[in-house]
Amino acid sequence: MGHIAIENLSKTYINRRRRSRDKENPLQQKGERVTVLKDIDLEINDGEMVCFLGPSGCGKSTLLRIIAGFEPACDGSLRINGQPVKGPSADHIFVFQYSGLFPWMTVAENVALGLRHLKNRRQQQAQILEFIDMVELNGFENHYPRQLSGGMQRRAELARALAVNPDIMIMDEPFSGLDFLTHMKMREEVVNMHAFIKKTMLLVTHNIDDALIMGDRVVILGGRPTGIAMNRQLDFPRPRSFEKAPELSRLRDDVFLMLGVNYAI
Ligand SMILES: Nc1ncnc2c1ncn2[C@@H]1O[C@H](COP(=O)(O)OP(=O)(O)OP(=O)(O)O)[C@@H](O)[C@H]1O
Ligand SMILES: [Mg+2]
């Protein structure tokens, strides 16, 4: 189960290097208080793929780190499957990282980390090969991460995520820095993986097309301090394309405008 309920969540950082000289206000003297997220209300259903958009620095990664339990919120409540989040939970949440593979382990060994619960070695080996096959890395089982290209490393990371089989998968800009074709391929793989494992996925991206093509829902963060500027269900049939769904194209125009970009220049 991967149900997430966020109510009135706020996050304030205290920037200790910029102490205020305001002697009247003792709180300010401890350092400048920067409210990043304010009154966030969001409910994410089990199995949903939710894509987050928003300007750089608005607090997308902060929100995902809070959901992952890596840092606490300051106010409000965050519940996963009805339970308050008190810290990271490796069993339930998998955070897909830019280079999350262990460099001293081969692809197969990295994937095997998620399959430690399988005591039958033959069954474990068969599963490892199945996941490696799903991300088309056959033949690279015994390669170390440094022997793979950037895109292949991320596919290996996807195989590892599949093996862990978490309730919630968190991906913060998983396609950044990839060339166009690898990006498209990875996007397809993540969509297929989601259709296959049907787990809750939270994905931050700066790419509006990715969000609209991949998401069951798009959430745009914005404002100062950051709140939810748009929370919209995407009921467009899959496979999706802007050409086939003019309404999706119109929504893309709206999202571009909302993010302050006129792309038709
Ligand atoms: N540990 C921290 N201490 C103080 N301020 C922080 C800390 N982490 C993040 N911030 C501030 O919180 C704000 C949001 O940062 P965050 O990394 O969540 O943004 P983002 O939306 O993910 O940006 P980007 O799209 O560039 O990745 C920024 O202004 C950042 O400076
Ligand atoms: Mg970020």
Side-chain angles (χ1 to χ4, degrees), residues 213-234:
I213 293 285
M214 298 177 77
D216 296 319
R217 191 140 51 109
V218 61
V219 172
I220 303 182
L221 299 180
R224 260 172 195 247
T226 297
I228 291 183
M230 184 196 263
N231 179 358
R232 168 113 186 223
Q233 204 79 33
L234 301 173

Side-chain angles (χ1 to χ4, degrees), residues 13 36 54-63 65 173 206:
Y13 285 113
V36 182
S56 179
C58 76
K60 303 177 295 297
S61 299
T62 302
L63 180 61
R65 281 201 305 273
E173 301 191 44
H206 282 286

Side-chain angles (χ1 to χ4, degrees), residues 194-211:
H194 181 248
F196 177 71
I197 63 173
K198 297 190 176 69
K199 297 294 165 99
T200 307
M201 275 195 194
L202 314 181
L203 185 142
V204 166
T205 174
H206 282 286
N207 187 312
I208 294 170
D209 288 11
D210 282 353

Side-chain angles (χ1 to χ4, degrees), residues 17-172:
R17 265 190 274 168
R18 292 181 59 181
R19 283 170 201 276
S20 163
R21 291 179 212 283
D22 185 354
K23 295 207 169 62
E24 304 285 298
N25 187 341
L27 267 181
Q28 286 287 343
Q29 278 182 45
K30 286 188 175 169
E32 189 190 38
R33 291 165 68 85
V34 185
T35 297
V36 182
L37 301 167
K38 182 138 179 69
D39 295 336
I40 303 283
D41 281 314
L42 188 62
E43 187 178 357
I44 295 170
N45 297 316
D46 182 34
E48 248 190 322
M49 158 88 85
V50 181
C51 294
F52 292 85
L53 289 167
S56 179
C58 76
K60 303 177 295 297
S61 299
T62 302
L63 180 61
L64 292 199
R65 281 201 305 273
I66 293 173
I67 294 174
F70 293 156
E71 54 182 292
C74 298
D75 257 316
S77 90
L78 162 64
R79 287 171 182 272
I80 293 184
N81 300 327
Q83 300 298 317
V85 172
K86 298 210 174 89
S89 153
D91 292 343
H92 301 294
I93 301 186
F94 184 88
V95 181
F96 183 95
Q97 283 169 346
Y98 184 74
S99 35
L101 299 170
F102 291 114
W104 60 88
M105 290 184 179
T106 63
V107 169
E109 286 164 351
N110 268 286
V111 175
L113 284 176
L115 295 167
R116 278 171 302 184
H117 58 282
L118 294 180
K119 297 287 172 247
N120 181 328
R121 235 185 106 68
R122 272 182 46 197
Q123 196 189 355
Q124 198 196 51
Q125 284 303 316
Q127 285 258 313
I128 291 170
L129 292 181
E130 194 182 321
F131 292 132
I132 289 178
D133 186 45
M134 278 181 70
V135 298
E136 294 177 30
L137 280 179
N138 325 54
F140 294 93
E141 298 84 358
N142 298 321
H143 281 56
Y144 288 90
R146 64 173 185 279
Q147 298 173 306
L148 305 176
S149 73
M152 288 161 90
Q153 286 180 25
R154 275 186 244 190
R155 275 190 275 148
E157 180 75 358
L158 270 190
R160 195 156 83 99
L162 282 166
V164 172
N165 194 22
D167 292 332
I168 299 171
M169 201 179 294
I170 291 181
M171 303 176 136
D172 195 348

